[in-house]
Structure formats: C-alpha cells, structure tokens
Amino acid sequence: MKDTVKIVCKYVLSGISLGCTSFVIMCLSFFIGGGEEMLEEICRDFARQSVGAMIVGIACGGTAVIYQFRRPSVMVKVIIHFCVGMGVFYPVALYLGWIPFCPDRVIMTVLQFLFSCIIFTIIWFCFYLFNRNEAKRINQRLRELGQDGAGSKS
C-alpha cells in the first residue's frame, strides 16, 4: 500500500510538472510568435490559468499511473487514460478560453475537440515509443548482465 501511494504521488507530481512545462512552452510560443494579446489575457488571469494547466497535467500525466498495474487490459487502460485526460482537458480548456466555444458554430467546436484528441493521441504515442525503447534497452542490458554472470560461474 505504501509503495502504491508513492507511485501515485510520483505520477501526480510528474503530471503537475508536465502541465506547468506545457503552460510555459505555450506562453513562450505566444511571446515569440507575436500573440501578445493572448499572452496578456493569460497574464490577467494567471492564477486560474496556472491552476488549470496543473489540473490538466494531473489528469493527463497523473492518470498514466494506471499502466503500472497488472489489470485491466492495456486497451482498457488506454481508454481510461484517454477519457480521463480528455474529460478534464476539454472542459478546462473551454472554461479558461484555451479553446473558444462557438455555440452557433457546432461544427467548429466538434473540429476543435477532434483536433484536441489528435494532439492527445500524438503525445501519448510519443510517450509510448519512448517507454517501449527504454524497456528494450533495459531488457538488453539485463540479458547482457545475465550472460556475463553465467559466463563467470564456469
């Protein structure tokens, strides 16, 4: 139980870190790209914008802890992670004005949601590839250590 709490805390804190880092990168891109009016809007409401970024970070990065458990299946884990991440991101993004809501332009709102889903999927896939390569590297190193240990016992 104690180890589970440590793992969950680690993922929640890394989620907050991910949210804050993404927020800073977004603000820097506005600054560099000439989006001063968007940056001014963020600065006027900095506390809520920052907390929103942390909440989204926890929802997207923190819920990745589900991959540490044996059950449920990988597909169910992916679905849970996606639904929690998008289920928090989209309402927060609408509330804080990251994504404009157009009630009279439903198609635009749906396209924005689909674009958000695509971005989430790309980010998830990048983390998946990174972790898969890490696992391969670690397994290769364990095989090498196993061969070295077997050879030295002869």
Side-chain angles (χ1 to χ4, degrees), residues 108-135:
M108 182 58 102
T109 303
V110 170
L111 288 175
Q112 291 167 339
F113 178 74
L114 291 175
F115 182 71
S116 300
C117 290
I118 290 168
I119 296 294
F120 184 93
T121 303
I122 290 169
I123 293 169
W124 181 90
F125 192 68
C126 289
F127 275 99
Y128 169 78
L129 290 176
F130 172 79
N131 288 316
R132 186 181 75 172
N133 288 336
E134 272 300 290

Side-chain angles (χ1 to χ4, degrees), residues 46-112:
F46 186 75
R48 284 186 340 148
Q49 297 286 333
S50 300
V51 170
M54 287 185 248
I55 289 169
V56 169
I58 291 169
C60 294
T63 57
V65 72
I66 195 167
Y67 299 108
Q68 297 298 313
F69 303 109
R70 288 195 172 102
R71 292 187 203 159
S73 70
V74 173
M75 185 53 72
V76 171
K77 291 175 186 177
V78 170
I79 291 168
I80 290 170
H81 186 205
F82 181 81
C83 289
V84 170
M86 289 306 296
V88 170
F89 167 76
Y90 204 68
V92 168
L94 288 171
Y95 177 72
L96 293 174
W98 299 344
I99 299 174
F101 180 66
C102 310
D104 54 332
R105 297 172 60 194
V106 176
I107 292 174
M108 182 58 102
T109 303
V110 170
L111 288 175
Q112 291 167 339

Side-chain angles (χ1 to χ4, degrees), residues 10-25 53-58 61-62:
K10 175 186 160 197
Y11 273 85
V12 166
L13 291 174
S14 67
I16 291 171
S17 175
L18 178 67
C20 290
T21 302
S22 300
F23 182 66
V24 168
I25 290 170
M54 287 185 248
I55 289 169
V56 169
I58 291 169

